[in-house]
Amino acid sequence: GFELAISQLMVNNLSWTVGYSYTRAEGNAENEFAHWYEMYLASVYGTFPARKTVIMPWDQPHTFNMNLNYVNPLGFGINVIGNIGSGLPYTPTDSRGRNLDEINSGRMPFTAKFDIKSYYDFNFKSFDIRSLANSTDSFASHPYK
């Protein structure tokens, strides 16, 4: 894979970073029991899977990351960190758990997560005090839209 990132250091109280990465995760077994399950299913259903390279369950080819930071000299600031990624793979199955297609041939919808933190710094007597407000929002696209 590869990664591309662009950053702006603090200018006018604002700094930011954006990045994109493309990766692929492929192999012949997604966990230590994968081949045992294949042999078990072969004995139950009489099907033998072909030996080949498959997409791993943690494969997320496209990932976009961002970080935005604003710091005001009056004592307040805000920070936003975000991540958007393509959906993870899955294996389509029927109601009995039999594979309907190749292993990890389906794709879940994309996912996103954003964390926002705001703060205000003030002095009380000889103490420096920071009040914080945090928020996290995660969502995924709807597969039927």
Side-chain angles (χ1 to χ4, degrees), residues 1-115:
F2 70 90
E3 183 173 344
L4 174 66
I6 302 171
S7 298
Q8 172 64 53
L9 298 178
M10 193 64 70
V11 174
N12 296 329
N13 306 327
L14 183 68
S15 67
W16 53 267
T17 302
V18 294
Y20 168 78
S21 64
Y22 176 79
T23 59
R24 295 295 292 177
E26 297 178 351
N28 68 357
E30 60 189 49
N31 60 48
E32 64 271 22
F33 302 110
H35 295 305
W36 184 88
Y37 289 134
E38 288 175 356
M39 290 300 103
Y40 172 74
L41 292 175
S43 69
V44 172
Y45 298 117
T47 60
F48 292 91
R51 297 282 178 215
K52 60 182 177 179
T53 302
V54 296
I55 296 171
M56 297 290 102
W58 56 87
D59 178 55
Q60 190 174 39
H62 305 283
T63 306
F64 175 76
N65 299 299
M66 58 87 63
N67 184 348
L68 176 68
N69 192 29
Y70 176 76
V71 179
N72 190 292
L74 297 175
F76 65 89
I78 189 167
N79 179 263
V80 179
I81 298 174
N83 174 287
I84 300 172
S86 56
L88 297 173
Y90 71 95
T91 304
T93 58
D94 64 11
S95 60
R96 295 180 66 191
R98 293 180 293 192
N99 294 353
L100 295 175
D101 205 347
E102 297 290 325
I103 294 174
N104 293 333
S105 61
R107 267 297 157 185
M108 298 296 287
F110 78 90
T111 59
K113 181 177 181 179
F114 289 92
D115 295 325

